[in-house]
Amino acid sequence: MDDRSLVVLREVTKQYSPRFSPAISCLSITLNRGEILALLGPSGCGKTTTLRLIAGFDVPDEGVILLDGAPVAGNGFWVPPEARKIGMVFQDYALFPHLTLLENVAFGLHGKGKKEREARAMEVLKIVGMGGMAQRYPHELSGGQQQRVALARALAPGPVVILLDEPFSNLDADMRTDMRREVERILRESDMSAILVTHDQEEALSMADRVGVLNNGSLEQLAAPEVLYHTPATRFVADFVGEADFLPGEVQDGIVTEVGTFQDGSGLPKGAKVELMIRPDDVHFEPCEDGDGVIAGRRFRGSENRYALALPSGKRLRSSQSSDRVLARGTKVKVMVRPTHVVVFPL
Ligand code: ADP
Ligand code: MG
């Protein structure tokens, strides 16, 4: 651990019941100071459990958790949530309906006079752009506005880290993008370190400095968004982050597949059977009478046309094309695959 480390989980395991497999197993993650880290994974993979353990709402069965260099859980050691200096933003915002926004934000500020608490509450409400609505009640706000207040309440006591649990999932799709940008701006301008958990890859990739992909309670890969996308470490990450098709291949002098031979950096022995990952933006095609591929379908998505190309083996590849490139289904094509990185997994 170096002194950039703010939150450290070291081989943490949590099992709710001996009848079920652990919610998280042997999980090791580090959040650096000033960093926004996303934990990404499907429903039930252990995201909320991880946040609850960091916040102190649950106790790990094994492993150690350190906060700002000091142990807060593990080895029989235990610091209660209120002593951890952690701000939490929940999916449902969890604002008190009978309190004004100012009172909601001032609520968690213990050990200060009323004037002082209200001044601090007003200060953070202004930071999140809600200074003009301090006397309103939560039901008088839109979802996005409630989200801002929940963030203000988490920021008010001056935590060392903010944990956000699926914070945008209750917002309409058209608000979500703006709120992501807005929340990121507020966190960055306040120099706040944060862990964001989400099942939405676009959210994780666009907001976070690094993303940890969780599957079934285990960490598959923790890396910068671009690294996850271009060089996924596992088949699960390849599939979950971005879109991917997989073609069977064999290691020879390169990876031999039905769409060509690709440079091999896998280190696998000759003759090894592999799957080659292919992203839709790596697949190009030209109409060609004696081409091997056939256009099997096209889906218009506004900013692009997403083609499905059928190969002689029956396998299909998706291809991302410009929104004005329209070709008919059944057109014979020559398929060209140019991966930015050749990624293979052993079969
Ligand atoms: P996520 O937030 O990624 O959807 P959770 O951390 O909530 O996942 O849950 C991980 C696993 O632990 C799931 O299988 C879930 O059913 C189980 N789990 C979560 N909380 C409890 C609990 N309080 N008691 C028993 N099982 C739980
Ligand atoms: Mg959850």
Side-chain angles (χ1 to χ4, degrees):
M1 190 182 78
D2 59 41
D3 34 297
R4 285 187 311 151
S5 312
L6 184 59
V7 179
V8 178
L9 277 77
R10 212 175 272 156
E11 298 182 358
V12 172
T13 294
K14 174 72 189 174
Q15 187 162 19
Y16 288 103
S17 156
R19 289 182 295 125
F20 303 122
S21 53
I24 61 170
S25 329
C26 206
L27 192 62
S28 295
I29 292 175
T30 298
L31 170 76
N32 295 318
R33 266 172 231 285
E35 185 179 45
I36 299 179
L37 177 76
L39 294 179
L40 172 68
S43 178
C45 72
K47 302 182 296 294
T48 296
T49 300
T50 307
L51 288 196
R52 290 179 57 83
L53 290 168
I54 297 169
F57 302 136
D58 272 320
V59 187
D61 297 316
E62 282 171 48
V64 179
I65 301 174
L66 301 140
L67 184 60
D68 215 357
V72 291
N75 291 333
F77 196 76
W78 174 249
V79 175
E82 60 277 13
R84 290 196 187 189
K85 289 192 154 187
I86 286 177
M88 190 96 194
V89 178
F90 299 94
Q91 183 171 6
D92 59 1
Y93 321 131
L95 300 175
F96 298 115
H98 60 290
L99 298 182
T100 64
L101 305 190
L102 191 73
E103 289 164 341
N104 260 286
V105 176
F107 186 83
L109 299 171
H110 307 287
K112 290 188 180 129
K114 185 161 187 274
K115 274 238 153 60
E116 222 181 316
R117 282 192 290 154
E118 288 189 353
R120 172 62 182 158
M122 199 58 195
E123 190 184 357
V124 280
L125 279 172
K126 281 183 184 155
I127 290 174
V128 302
M130 294 294 291
M133 299 191 190
Q135 296 309 325
R136 289 207 194 176
Y137 287 87
H139 73 267
E140 297 172 306
L141 306 180
S142 70
Q145 290 170 329
Q146 291 188 43
Q147 185 62 264
R148 286 166 192 261
V149 177
L151 181 59
R153 189 180 56 182
L155 286 168
V160 294
V161 58
I162 298 254
L163 309 179
L164 304 109
D165 193 352
E166 309 257 7
F168 309 106
S169 55
N170 281 341
L171 297 175
D172 293 336
D174 59 339
M175 277 209 66
R176 221 172 282 154
T177 317
D178 288 348
M179 275 311 288
R180 282 178 195 154
R181 207 169 303 142
E182 184 64 7
V183 167
E184 187 190 346
R185 182 189 65 76
I186 293 163
L187 291 172
R188 302 246 186 236
E189 284 179 5
S190 336
D191 277 328
M192 189 49 68
S193 313
I195 301 179
L196 162 82
V197 315
T198 177
H199 63 274
D200 184 325
Q201 50 150 318
E202 192 185 322
E203 196 160 296
L205 296 178
S206 66
M207 282 185 72
D209 300 304
R210 290 188 304 150
V211 179
V213 181
L214 289 179
N215 177 26
N216 243 326
S218 297
L219 187 68
E220 297 262 336
Q221 189 174 10
L222 178 60
E226 295 81 1
V227 174
L228 282 185
Y229 184 80
H230 291 299
T231 52
T234 65
R235 167 80 200 242
F236 180 85
V237 175
D239 220 5
F240 196 77
V241 177
E243 289 173 85
D245 293 304
F246 298 90
L247 278 189
E250 190 176 307
V251 179
Q252 290 299 339
D253 294 323
I255 310 284
V256 181
T257 74
E258 68 172 310
V259 291
T261 300
F262 301 90
Q263 200 173 356
D264 178 27
S266 69
L268 292 165
K270 272 193 185 177
K273 305 277 189 220
V274 295
E275 281 186 306
L276 175 74
M277 177 189 85
I278 300 172
R279 301 285 193 200
D281 36 326
D282 297 334
V283 179
H284 312 272
F285 60 86
E286 286 303 333
C288 176
E289 257 319 304
D290 51 6
D292 270 347
V294 177
I295 295 179
R298 175 178 68 89
R299 203 179 290 278
F300 181 60
R301 292 188 168 184
S303 59
E304 62 161 0
N305 275 302
R306 176 58 59 91
Y307 283 88
L309 307 178
L311 302 178
S313 65
K315 288 266 177 198
R316 288 186 175 202
L317 291 180
R318 287 169 285 181
S319 172
S320 174
Q321 298 293 315
S322 66
S323 57
D324 58 357
R325 189 171 195 217
V326 177
L327 287 154
R329 212 176 138 159
T331 306
K332 286 190 142 191
V333 294
K334 177 174 158 47
V335 180
M336 291 154 285
V337 176
R338 293 186 212 111
T340 35
H341 301 265
V342 177
V343 176
V344 296
F345 301 103
L347 258 180

